[in-house]
Amino acid sequence: MTRIFNFAAGPSAMPLPVLEQAASEMTDWHGVGYSILEMSHRSKEFMGIYRETVEMLRELYGIPEEYEVMFVQGGGHLQFAMIPLNFAVGGIGNYAVDGVWSRKAFNEAQKIGEAAEVACTELRAPRQDELAVTDGAAYLYYCSNETVNGIRYWYRPEVNVPLIADMSSDFLSQPVDISKYGLIFAGAQKNFGPAGLTVVIARKDLLGRAESTTPTMLDYQTYANFESMYNTPPTFAIYISHLVCKWLLAEGGVKEMERRSILKSQKIYDAIDNSDGFYYNNIEKRSRSRMNVVFNLKNEELNQLFIEEALQKGLANIKGHRIVGGMRASLYNAVSVEAAEALADYMKAFAERHS
Amino acid sequence: MTRIFNFAAGPSAMPLPVLEQAASEMTDWHGVGYSILEMSHRSKEFMGIYRETVEMLRELYGIPEEYEVMFVQGGGHLQFAMIPLNFAVGGIGNYAVDGVWSRKAFNEAQKIGEAAEVACTELRAPRQDELAVTDGAAYLYYCSNETVNGIRYWYRPEVNVPLIADMSSDFLSQPVDISKYGLIFAGAQKNFGPAGLTVVIARKDLLGRAESTTPTMLDYQTYANFESMYNTPPTFAIYISHLVCKWLLAEGGVKEMERRSILKSQKIYDAIDNSDGFYYNNIEKRSRSRMNVVFNLKNEELNQLFIEEALQKGLANIKGHRIVGGMRASLYNAVSVEAAEALADYMKAFAERHS
């Protein structure tokens, strides 16, 4: 086995000890005589895994008792529908748009109910003074980190309506004061676990407002009432997330992840900014993502060679999203400082060879 | 490692070679240097796995070209909503109810639109002559195998509207003439793969009829248009299902699975019927499920002992669903003839000791 440095945007790098443990107990989980994949979601063993995962999440983020922690299927795209169905009943969903993912959420909200775009920025997150909510606003929705565009909010918006955030790509990468939010959600496949699992953390008093015609599985109250087990949850994904939470706690939690994220992203941004224009990134500096560093080569003809030589050096999946092109290095929690250093070194050497 | 016989109703037994392969390539899939869990769903490697899975399903069932094969999240419960949202627009969903799962589907359809119960039976599937659809029927919905109640349809209903079937618990356990159906679906966690994946096979000309306000992820057309990759699918679940399909083809396909299912279930039903009433099963004989054999002990005080001694003999998860009580032996494809024999032998010995 030769493991390489994986900068994929999601599904993305996972901690090696998590994968090794999953492999070692794949045919027999803790001596029960069968796999976690073959275990009833209502067994005491699985319920233990499930509840410990919730508890570890509560510990990692300091989630107050007034908040539900729920596991949902359907990815961010289903959240884009569930949020207006549950929170915009009789009101207007307000959206701050600064990239692909907040744009998608706004479009879906318009499809389903009434929605307004309160800000629309490019190459930066909106400033607080640009976030004036509309009359009848039900909530303000924003995406704390735009995975495709490489943009992050450097601050938490303050508004007098519930604040809703898509934290898919910066989940568990920094401390978050959950008490300031109405709801946050995150697709697992960046910092938490396998694709097919979405974590939702929501203030309990905001739930239960969906119309009676709302599909049962699109009503957050269903998840709150049944510990996310109204139907069979994605058990293997939850099991892996359980291992990831353990790893996170052992590594020092979200404060330590934030320290590493700053360090890792700084290495790549330095390689860009010190390249005399060989590489460039046009994002406003304070809005630069720590999770997804996007950059371009001035000479686009070198793109393919840059990707190929990187792979030869064990640096995989650095091609940018098809919508924006160029390169993207995703630096999620499981991507080591060593990996970021190796990429930065490669960038410098490549620039020297081709300048 | 000691593997035991696992009769769980779902998530349930999987083929050991599938688990062993998953374990062996967990940290490095086919030499790429990272796990399948860490691989982009849009990579050529994963797209290969995805497309091969669809192709193997087409081969196993002989699925005609006019049908889409789609992978959806959200389990059967989300299908209960998606079916009326996509198929009952301007019409009435017709439901044949003979157990817990068809009941749930009918309830959800009533919540969402107009629905009618055309048959309601207990301890047996409805007969063909009981299935008269209503005026304005958009489809007839039935559940081919009721997992909780242990009831199966011994025939395929014939109606002059699209036929829709929940095949979650008998998926890939017998040949099915897909061309007779408008849509079939199956939660993966019985015969196909991990929880968190649902397979939908639908006639293409029936898609695209959902109202424009339908959430994007609840419109089958979204899945058809984007090869089930409008958003990130549950990649690990699809990967496991890929291995399961390979295993099924190597073992002889659905015809061979049907042969084994008849054999396995017959062993348990014989143990029940030849027990002089120590065990009983009240299901009409032709409606008896081959996948989920439910039975009771005449002396209910022995229930706990029966379960405990079974586990000591390596026979796990035979407790019945909490709604119906008693016992249930689920005999999915990955449960061997040897396992069914061991359970039947245990049942005989237990009855002898306690008669």
Side-chain angles (χ1 to χ4, degrees), chain A residues 1-4 6 11 13-14 26-27 32-34 38 73-74 77 108 111 212 214-216 230-231 236 317, chain B residues 1-4 6 13-14 26-27 32-34 38 73-74 77 108 111 195 212 214-216 230-231 233 236 317:
Chain A
M1 183 194 78
T2 311
R3 296 267 300 173
I4 63 178
N6 180 11
M14 304 199 72
M26 179 61 83
T27 57
V32 296
Y34 43 91
E38 303 169 288
Q73 297 184 49
H77 279 87
E108 186 76 4
K111 183 173 159 72
S212 63
T214 303
T216 304
Y230 182 76
N231 72 348
F236 183 81
N317 300 315
Chain B
M1 184 194 74
T2 311
R3 295 266 301 173
I4 62 178
N6 181 10
M14 304 201 71
M26 179 60 84
T27 57
V32 296
Y34 44 91
E38 303 170 288
Q73 296 184 50
H77 279 87
E108 186 76 4
K111 184 173 159 72
S212 63
T214 303
T216 304
Y230 182 76
N231 71 348
F236 183 80
N317 300 316

Side-chain angles (χ1 to χ4, degrees), chain B residues 38-155:
Chain B
E38 303 170 288
M39 186 184 287
S40 169
H41 52 298
R42 303 200 191 276
S43 63
K44 69 176 191 308
E45 293 86 356
F46 185 76
M47 284 305 298
I49 291 171
Y50 165 80
R51 288 182 178 141
E52 279 177 33
T53 310
V54 171
E55 282 315 305
M56 286 190 284
L57 271 174
R58 288 193 178 276
E59 183 180 346
L60 281 160
Y61 264 154
I63 301 171
E65 261 310 300
E66 298 73 45
Y67 284 72
E68 281 291 342
V69 177
M70 297 171 278
F71 294 145
V72 184
Q73 296 184 50
H77 279 87
L78 197 64
Q79 294 308 305
F80 300 163
M82 286 177 72
I83 287 163
L85 284 170
N86 284 267
F87 286 77
V89 180
I92 302 167
N94 277 210
Y95 286 77
V97 175
D98 66 341
V100 167
W101 290 100
S102 45
R103 168 70 55 206
K104 281 171 181 259
F106 174 57
N107 289 348
E108 186 76 4
Q110 279 191 304
K111 184 173 159 72
I112 282 164
E114 213 176 335
E117 195 179 57
V118 298
C120 177
T121 56
E122 281 186 30
L123 301 174
R124 66 176 178 87
R127 299 183 306 272
Q128 175 66 52
D129 65 358
E130 294 173 300
L131 298 176
V133 300
T134 65
D135 285 346
Y139 55 79
L140 177 72
Y141 178 106
Y142 76 109
C143 176
S144 57
N145 184 78
E146 284 282 358
T147 322
V148 171
N149 308 81
I151 296 169
R152 77 185 280 265
Y153 277 69
W154 68 94
Y155 68 101

